[in-house]
Amino acid sequence: MLNPARIEFARTRRRWTKTKLAEALGVQSRSIQGYESGEYSPEPERLEQIASLLRFPLSFFSGPDLPKISEHTASFRSMSKMSASLKDSALSAGSLAFILNHWIESRFNLPVSSLPDLSDLSPEDAAATLRRMWGLGEAPVSNMIHLLESKGIRVYSLAIEAREVDAFSVWHDNTPFVFLNTFKSAEHSRFDACHELGHLVRDSHSMLHGKKAHNPEMEREANAFASAFLMPRDSVIAHKPNLPTIGQLIELKSFWGVSLPALAYRMNQLGLLTAWTYRSLCIDIAKKGYRTKEPRPMRQEVSQMLAKVFEALRGEGVGKSDIAAELFLLVEDLNNLTFGLTLSGVSTAVTIEGVPPKTTNPGLRLVK
């Protein structure tokens, strides 16, 4: 049976307007409205056209209703700069991640989340408290995605080529999800991941229960949390150079895995730079183009959990095309959600934060 809601979902996911789809099909916009509302169904040939134009398998349109992400529960950054179509496309990508994650969790035992509620603490104190709770001390976070996944947070990728979409987080079935835009630099993505962690431990409870709507103040505080979490106060002070220069900051930014502007801002926030020095550094950073292109860029971080899942599936003779067929999706959509990881040649020589490789136990087990 055709599910008209899936026609609307597919159109939204691909960022097509009703007018654009109607023109491509050679019909009136009113017809698209009728298809999506269930008032009447497209002829089989017309449905095949829709599937082809929107790049979804024909079988996709017969599935059950998909889980939806309510706008007020998602912590989008740069909300004011996002068009409605871009926001809806990102949210629908999150919905596809939910069904993929459900498929994975029906076959594997994954880490269960137990995030504290730190909403009563300032961003700085919340970051320091969470570091103590997780036993991180003052050490740099070597891999932000691995750390989140070890704490039961599901991390998926958003292959959306738009600077307006940084990242967002949301809870689904009592599980926290973080979505990262893979078109950003590694340093930017690490900060985004930590920014979303700040939302999850400080804002999610209020947003979920309708006590507080997402607002600019939340964004500023999530940025402050990310800055404090990635660059602990005592550690930054201990590494302060006597005469800060762009060259010295480039060396230090690699130590904490942050962008050059983020490091300069943190040092200034902690009173380690004079107003003149900070202004000079900001001018030099802008002149050299380091606000848009990172010097000595880091390697992009990817999911550890998904890498291990795919390697286990490969051992069972299961490929991405098999998963896509079960979920009525294209392999392209799975790639866009899984950092482009493949089902072959994936190494499991990765670590959970703070655990040596030989004793790593990600809590991942294939359920027979």
Side-chain angles (χ1 to χ4, degrees):
M1 294 290 292
L2 173 67
N3 184 344
R6 288 204 169 209
I7 298 179
E8 180 181 11
F9 180 95
R11 179 181 59 77
T12 300
R13 177 68 189 95
R14 302 306 185 208
R15 297 185 64 191
W16 280 46
T17 64
K18 293 176 184 177
T19 300
K20 180 179 179 180
L21 182 56
E23 290 176 350
L25 293 173
V27 301
Q28 298 292 320
S29 295
R30 176 69 182 82
S31 296
I32 306 302
Q33 177 64 35
Y35 298 158
E36 295 182 357
S37 67
E39 182 180 350
Y40 45 86
S41 299
E43 299 83 356
E45 297 80 6
R46 187 76 73 198
L47 184 59
E48 288 182 10
Q49 282 183 284
I50 292 173
S52 176
L53 288 168
L54 300 180
R55 304 194 321 279
F56 276 91
L58 191 60
S59 56
F60 173 83
F61 299 94
S62 300
D65 287 346
L66 291 162
K68 290 186 177 181
I69 302 177
S70 175
E71 180 182 323
H72 76 274
T73 63
S75 61
F76 270 112
R77 298 182 65 185
S78 306
M79 180 75 82
S80 61
K81 300 178 182 178
M82 293 178 63
S83 66
S85 66
L86 190 58
K87 176 184 63 183
D88 290 342
S89 179
L91 290 175
S92 59
S95 295
L96 295 182
F98 291 162
I99 64 173
L100 171 59
N101 190 76
H102 177 75
W103 188 92
I104 292 173
E105 290 199 10
S106 69
R107 291 159 177 80
F108 294 86
N109 289 330
L110 305 182
V112 178
S113 70
S114 180
L115 297 181
D117 180 0
L118 303 177
S119 56
D120 59 334
L121 299 178
S122 69
E124 188 84 24
D125 289 342
T129 297
L130 192 60
R131 272 184 159 268
R132 286 195 298 271
M133 293 176 69
W134 286 356
L136 299 178
E138 296 288 315
V141 178
S142 61
N143 191 302
M144 195 64 208
I145 294 180
H146 294 181
L147 174 61
L148 296 186
E149 290 183 328
S150 73
K151 304 305 178 182
I153 301 171
R154 309 292 183 253
V155 184
Y156 287 89
S157 56
L158 292 172
I160 297 178
E161 195 169 0
R163 295 192 63 83
E164 296 85 357
V165 180
D166 287 296
F168 72 94
S169 57
V170 69
W171 287 78
H172 178 69
D173 288 344
N174 296 315
T175 300
F177 285 76
V178 167
F179 298 93
L180 301 175
N181 192 335
T182 55
F183 284 94
K184 306 297 182 180
S185 69
E187 291 86 350
H188 193 138
S189 289
R190 278 169 57 85
F191 195 91
D192 284 346
C194 200
H195 174 107
E196 297 308 324
L197 175 61
H199 281 309
L200 290 172
V201 298
R202 297 189 69 250
D203 303 323
S204 291
H205 299 276
S206 296
M207 292 174 66
L208 276 173
H209 296 95
K211 296 179 181 178
K212 188 188 295 184
H214 187 263
N215 57 66
E217 182 61 24
M218 283 184 179
E219 287 302 296
R220 287 189 288 271
E221 292 191 353
N223 279 339
F225 173 91
S227 182
F229 191 88
L230 288 173
M231 296 169 280
R233 175 190 297 270
D234 291 345
S235 181
V236 175
I237 292 174
H239 287 82
K240 173 189 175 296
N242 292 325
L243 295 172
T245 63
I246 290 290
Q248 289 173 317
L249 262 61
I250 289 176
E251 294 291 336
L252 289 174
K253 87 170 191 76
S254 301
F255 178 73
W256 285 296
V258 296
S259 70
L260 199 59
L263 175 57
Y265 180 87
R266 178 62 168 162
M267 292 178 68
N268 184 61
Q269 179 199 32
L270 295 176
L272 304 180
L273 304 175
T274 66
W276 184 88
T277 300
Y278 180 58
R279 182 174 179 275
S280 298
L281 287 172
C282 288
I283 292 173
D284 285 348
I285 290 172
K287 282 184 177 179
K288 295 178 183 297
Y290 290 156
R291 289 194 175 279
T292 55
K293 187 175 182 180
E294 198 65 37
R296 293 193 194 176
M298 295 176 59
R299 178 179 297 181
Q300 285 285 354
E301 296 179 353
V302 297
S303 168
Q304 171 183 234
M305 180 197 79
L306 293 171
K308 289 180 176 293
V309 163
F310 290 161
E311 184 169 50
L313 290 172
R314 180 166 57 89
E316 297 286 321
V318 178
K320 262 191 180 175
S321 59
D322 300 309
I323 304 173
E326 282 199 46
L327 299 178
F328 309 128
L329 299 174
L330 297 180
V331 172
E332 166 195 342
D333 287 302
L334 296 189
N335 286 335
N336 288 341
L337 290 171
T338 58
F339 302 88
L341 291 168
T342 65
L343 277 168
S344 60
V346 177
S347 170
T348 56
V350 290
T351 62
I352 290 177
E353 195 67 34
V355 181
K358 291 184 180 180
T359 60
T360 294
N361 179 11
L364 180 68
R365 182 170 62 84
L366 182 60
V367 178
K368 298 290 187 179

